[in-house]
Amino acid sequence: TMQVSDEMMEILKQTHKFTRLPWVAKTGLTYIGYGHIMTKTENYKKLPKKDCILLFEKDIKRINKQLNLIFKEEIPQNHFDVLASVIFDIGYELFKTSSLLTLYKKGLIEQASLRIMVWSKYKGVHTESLEYRRKIDFKIFTSNDYTI
């Protein structure tokens, strides 16, 4: 089974605002730690850094599992990483019906790559941080270049 590379985990940590306190983004989602989207049942007030790291690792494990359910065969590591990055930001529910995934599964890799930037918005709300991350994702996806 495939998993998110160490390089991509570092990029995710570097490109998501780290906070031990919950904060609400302009998308209306509440975050804590390294971009962990708090669920309705999570009501953290303040977390030690080690707990934030555990939440991040739990999110990555879940994404690994979700992508391995979709792809029975191995795909290029850089593609796996980018698809994981998109899921990390938009969630599995939106991802699994996305044109990005549909095109990718059809083998239309170049067309799929052009759908990465679509996810600079969440529910119609454009954010600089999502656009910044999608530009990094696009570069990783198309040229296997992990420098940020």
Side-chain angles (χ1 to χ4, degrees):
T1 57
M2 296 194 70
Q3 48 191 328
V4 175
S5 70
D6 292 343
E7 291 89 349
M8 183 51 94
M9 288 203 286
E10 280 313 304
I11 288 170
L12 289 171
K13 284 181 182 174
Q14 288 174 36
T15 58
H16 288 77
K17 173 178 163 182
F18 173 76
T19 175
R20 295 173 53 209
L21 302 168
W23 67 282
V24 180
K26 68 180 186 181
T27 57
L29 298 172
T30 304
Y31 292 88
I32 196 163
Y34 292 101
H36 173 77
I37 300 169
M38 284 176 50
T39 64
K40 303 267 184 275
T41 57
E42 294 172 329
N43 54 356
Y44 306 120
K45 300 290 177 250
K46 186 177 184 183
L47 287 176
K49 187 164 185 180
K50 65 175 173 47
D51 289 354
C52 292
I53 291 168
L54 287 173
L55 270 181
F56 175 76
E57 289 171 350
K58 196 171 116 185
D59 288 342
I60 296 300
K61 257 192 194 131
R62 185 187 69 247
I63 292 168
N64 285 336
K65 194 183 281 185
Q66 291 164 336
L67 280 173
N68 280 300
L69 284 172
I70 294 173
F71 297 103
K72 302 293 182 228
E73 72 293 335
E74 274 202 21
I75 62 173
Q77 184 65 52
N78 58 319
H79 293 177
F80 189 91
D81 284 344
V82 168
L83 299 177
S85 173
V86 172
I87 294 173
F88 191 82
D89 280 339
I90 70 165
Y92 182 64
E93 290 308 307
L94 285 174
F95 175 76
K96 71 180 185 184
T97 58
S98 70
S99 57
L100 167 57
L101 178 61
T102 304
L103 291 165
Y104 190 87
K105 284 175 74 175
K106 287 181 179 168
L108 302 170
I109 307 306
E110 193 177 332
Q111 291 93 320
S113 75
L114 300 175
R115 306 304 295 164
I116 292 169
M117 291 309 295
V118 169
W119 297 105
S120 298
K121 290 183 177 160
Y122 178 79
K123 293 186 176 174
V125 180
H126 175 270
T127 70
E128 297 299 318
S129 55
L130 281 174
E131 183 178 347
Y132 173 67
R133 291 196 294 269
R134 293 299 78 82
K135 284 179 177 169
I136 293 167
D137 286 342
F138 182 80
K139 187 169 72 150
I140 292 170
F141 191 93
T142 56
S143 60
N144 204 15
D145 179 355
Y146 284 77
T147 57
I148 61 170

